[in-house]
Amino acid sequence: MSRRVCVIGGGSSGLTSIKSCLDEGLEPTCFESSDDIGGLWRFKENPEADRASIYHSVIINTSKEMMCFSDFPIPAHFPNYMHNSLIMDYFRMYAEHFQLTKHIRFQIRVLQVKPRPDFSRSGQWDVETENKKGEKEKHIFDAVMICIGHHCHPNLPLHDFPGIDKFKGQYFHSRDYKTAEEWRGKRVVVIGIGNSGGDIAVELSRVTKQVFLSTRRGAWILNRVGQQGVPMDFQLNRVLKMAQSVLPFGLVCRLGENKINQRFNHSLYSLQPKHRLFSQHPTVNDELPNRILSGTVQVKPNIRRLQGSSIEFDDGTVEDNIDLVVFATGYNFSFPFLPSNMLPVSGNKANLYKYMFPPGLERPTLVVIGLVQPLGAIMPISEMQARWATRVFKGTSLLFDQTLSLVRDETRISLYVTSQRHTIQVDYIDYMDQIAYQVGARPSLLGLLLRDPGVWLCVLLGPCTPYQYRLRGPGQWDGARQAILTTWDRMAGALKTRPSDIPEPKQSSLPLTLTVGAAALALGYYWNIHNHPSLLITLDPTTWQDKIKPYLPVLW
């Protein structure tokens, strides 16, 4: 009999978990408390309890090539940065293509998940659910995948803001913000300079009389539009990651900070933080500098107190006649359906092996999917986690070195500013490679160099797209190679919406390509020769050069 798996949540993590179960021959049943798929990305005018809620204008901060599921590219004509409605369209296409919806039971809330009396032998779970009529049902599952994300409960730290209880204006959490129009001509304070805070401040500033953006620490601001108009996250490649891993942390930060300050001086704009660039999750916002430059947004320090309709800031300045305060102060997560001692959450932090498996369970049949905060998209990470977890359930992958991994995670987290925002922070490429190694799907740079140098160059110097993790191993997809080679075509194709007779300037990047490629090749060659001396015989530079020439123009 196939093993039955309970999937809690029908958002992006839940959808890819269902698919991964089906790929491994498992039998998934997904319980979704609302009436539709999509989770965080489904816009609703009225927020639902214990669920994040987006505003109408939200556009994702990662480009389509970097956020898609690894064996289902987003349509080429979709824009590179998609509105939330298009993200929902993509999720529906994904669910329809792989026939996932029939495994979802909507408007079913999970009340309780607990190990069965014979758990040490069977690894099974008792799951109690409740439908919209209040009718309860009990189930037995062989494994459980928790896919509720980390945008669960709004963090509203009112105790840190003296006088808020007597504030004469309105205040609410950013989850309750929907559109700017009702605040036309008002004076507004937005607390928090994360992605939501920056977006809401910018949007409100178009119609309000004045917006004040309050931040404790400041922030480094990245923009979606990268060098030469290419999506910013296309620049996050393996060569850059290699450089970051060998250079001193302070030097890497300085280089990045200098690059960012070339766009606008963060100190001049009152945004300069004390922490280094890679010590905090950056804020992505193309418009904020322009709104600050025009004066429609003023950057302020933390709030000291509120008095009536006035707000005093830590620098002693006071702003009167404030109509609205928006708390863009993030979310807390919890697992209320689990026994309290099984996966306790303290300070928005849970003790999980690889951010997935509770350590110490006698049977690894409980996993959390999507409880990470990457500089990049969550969808490919959730997919990779689900691919590994389902193989663990099936018994084809094993867990090991749990204690050591937890120590390493603590060491890496210590690089970040201490805050609940960084308790689940991961580095996209490093983390994807770690989990892909467990699956057997991590791309082999050496193998690609020898077998398919064109793809090797794309994997090494191009964006670290999810397709790279379908080139080999379990779940290998025949379309992965072509998807990698045509990544730049799909990116550019979405921009070419007007015919033009003007030829594009031919700026050859071949010297740069060859220089960086040669350096990376030399490094990899040196390492591998010392570990695999037989490669001296198999690597023919002349043959390799002939193979790679046709692919060089593709990248640039």
Side-chain angles (χ1 to χ4, degrees):
M1 294 179 62
S2 63
R3 298 185 180 184
R4 300 184 65 234
V5 179
C6 171
V7 178
I8 304 176
S12 60
S13 296
L15 290 175
T16 195
S17 292
I18 297 170
K19 180 183 179 295
S20 294
C21 285
L22 297 174
D23 288 345
E24 294 296 336
L26 306 177
E27 183 183 337
T29 299
C30 175
F31 298 111
E32 167 55 46
S33 60
S34 70
D35 59 358
D36 201 357
I37 63 172
L40 169 67
W41 291 102
R42 189 177 73 256
F43 173 78
K44 295 197 75 170
E45 196 68 43
N46 299 311
E48 299 171 314
D50 298 331
R51 181 189 299 271
S53 181
I54 58 174
Y55 36 100
H56 187 270
S57 62
V58 167
I59 293 174
I60 197 166
N61 287 330
T62 49
S63 67
K64 65 178 181 180
E65 293 299 316
M66 297 297 291
M67 65 153 281
C68 67
F69 296 116
S70 61
D71 56 355
F72 194 73
I74 292 173
H77 66 279
F78 275 36
N80 284 285
Y81 290 100
M82 300 190 297
H83 184 264
N84 60 85
S85 60
L86 291 176
I87 295 174
M88 282 299 300
D89 288 345
Y90 172 65
F91 287 163
R92 296 192 195 286
M93 294 175 191
Y94 181 75
E96 181 179 357
H97 181 78
F98 294 108
Q99 300 182 19
L100 308 179
T101 309
K102 65 182 180 181
H103 300 280
I104 305 176
R105 296 181 59 183
F106 293 104
Q107 296 185 303
I108 302 289
R109 188 164 62 98
V110 175
L111 300 178
Q112 190 176 61
V113 175
K114 62 180 182 180
R116 304 210 75 210
D118 63 347
F119 179 79
S120 61
R121 179 182 58 81
S122 68
Q124 292 183 325
W125 299 84
D126 285 321
V127 177
E128 184 178 14
T129 60
E130 182 181 52
N131 63 20
K132 61 180 180 179
K133 297 179 180 179
E135 300 169 340
K136 297 180 181 179
E137 189 176 359
K138 293 185 178 181
H139 318 261
I140 298 175
F141 287 98
D142 297 295
V144 176
M145 306 179 78
I146 301 174
C147 307
I148 60 175
H150 53 88
H151 296 90
C152 302
H153 315 293
N155 177 42
L156 200 60
L158 300 182
H159 57 278
D160 292 335
F161 297 89
I164 189 68
D165 55 327
K166 297 181 180 179
F167 178 57
K168 292 183 178 180
Q170 295 187 47
Y171 68 87
F172 51 70
H173 191 270
S174 57
R175 77 189 291 268
D176 296 310
Y177 172 80
K178 295 303 172 187
T179 61
E181 190 57 39
E182 62 180 302
W183 304 105
R184 180 172 293 276
K186 305 295 185 181
R187 288 166 59 82
V188 178
V189 173
V190 177
I191 301 173
I193 198 171
N195 290 321
S196 294
D199 282 351
I200 291 173
V202 165
E203 184 166 292
L204 284 167
S205 70
R206 299 192 186 104
V207 301
T208 55
K209 186 175 182 180
Q210 184 64 59
V211 171
F212 302 96
L213 181 57
S214 172
T215 171
R216 292 177 184 267
R217 299 187 182 91
W220 295 104
I221 310 298
L222 303 182
N223 51 316
R224 294 182 178 91
V225 183
Q227 189 173 358
Q228 298 183 341
V230 172
M232 180 269 293
D233 53 11
F234 268 44
Q235 300 169 29
L236 303 178
N237 59 36
R238 292 183 177 275
V239 166
L240 179 62
K241 192 61 190 173
M242 289 176 189
Q244 288 179 338
S245 65
V246 298
L247 294 176
F249 179 76
L251 176 60
V252 171
C253 289
R254 176 170 295 184
L255 292 172
E257 291 160 8
N258 290 342
K259 180 68 174 178
I260 291 174
N261 275 328
Q262 288 177 9
R263 181 183 175 224
F264 73 93
N265 187 312
H266 282 59
S267 178
L268 181 64
Y269 279 61
S270 298
L271 289 169
Q272 179 83 41
K274 292 182 180 179
H275 60 263
R276 307 307 301 271
L277 173 61
F278 295 109
S279 293
Q280 187 181 53
H281 193 81
T283 297
V284 179
N285 197 301
D286 290 79
E287 297 184 67
L288 183 59
N290 181 53
R291 307 312 296 182
I292 296 173
L293 194 64
S294 66
T296 53
V297 173
Q298 289 187 23
V299 181
K300 289 287 189 177
N302 191 45
I303 292 174
R304 179 177 296 170
R305 65 175 63 91
L306 298 89
Q307 294 178 315
S309 60
S310 299
I311 292 182
E312 180 183 354
F313 297 93
D314 278 348
D315 61 355
T317 59
V318 177
E319 296 295 339
D320 300 317
N321 303 315
I322 300 300
D323 301 290
L324 171 67
V325 175
V326 180
F327 285 85
T329 45
Y331 291 82
N332 298 313
F333 62 83
S334 66
F335 309 100
F337 41 77
L338 290 177
S340 58
N341 62 343
M342 179 165 292
L343 189 52
V345 177
S346 177
N348 224 37
K349 180 180 179 181
N351 196 33
L352 291 165
Y353 173 55
K354 299 293 185 185
Y355 299 93
M356 296 173 59
F357 293 95
L361 278 184
E362 296 170 286
R363 298 283 181 175
T365 55
L366 176 72
V367 68
V368 181
I369 302 295
L371 191 66
V372 291
Q373 178 77 32
L375 177 56
I378 188 67
M379 294 79 169
I381 290 181
S382 293
E383 179 187 44
M384 186 58 67
Q385 289 179 329
R387 289 172 66 185
W388 182 32
T390 50
R391 290 182 62 77
V392 170
F393 297 161
K394 192 176 178 180
T396 50
S397 289
L398 301 175
L399 301 183
F400 59 91
D401 195 22
Q402 297 185 41
T403 303
L404 181 59
S405 174
L406 293 170
V407 171
R408 287 173 179 166
D409 292 341
E410 287 290 339
T411 302
R412 186 190 50 75
I413 286 293
S414 67
L415 296 175
Y416 294 96
V417 172
T418 302
S419 74
Q420 69 175 33
R421 190 182 182 192
H422 300 111
T423 57
I424 52 176
Q425 192 79 26
V426 298
D427 298 314
Y428 178 84
I429 296 178
D430 281 350
Y431 186 75
M432 286 286 282
D433 278 356
Q434 288 177 32
I435 306 303
Y437 175 77
Q438 306 289 341
V439 176
R442 186 172 68 182
S444 169
L445 292 179
L446 179 61
L448 286 173
L449 173 62
L450 298 176
R451 296 190 309 271
D452 199 339
V455 173
W456 170 81
L457 197 61
C458 291
V459 170
L460 187 67
L461 297 179
C464 188
T465 56
Y467 319 123
Q468 296 184 10
Y469 300 96
R470 292 284 182 178
L471 287 170
R472 61 191 290 259
Q476 180 178 347
W477 175 46
D478 291 340
R481 181 182 186 277
Q482 184 63 19
I484 291 171
L485 293 175
T486 55
T487 295
W488 291 80
D489 295 333
R490 287 190 299 278
M491 179 277 293
L495 298 171
K496 296 181 180 298
T497 57
R498 180 181 71 87
S500 176
D501 297 330
I502 302 175
E504 295 184 10
K506 296 182 179 180
Q507 298 179 348
S508 175
S509 297
L510 184 59
L512 175 63
T513 303
L514 293 178
T515 300
V516 177
L521 174 60
L523 182 63
Y525 183 76
Y526 176 83
W527 183 89
N528 282 291
I529 289 304
H530 282 73
N531 289 273
H532 306 283
S534 61
L535 290 177
L536 284 168
I537 301 173
T538 59
L539 186 58
D540 182 348
T542 304
T543 303
W544 177 83
Q545 186 179 18
D546 291 339
K547 287 183 177 180
I548 203 170
K549 281 181 180 179
Y551 298 98
L552 290 174
V554 175
L555 292 178
W556 307 95

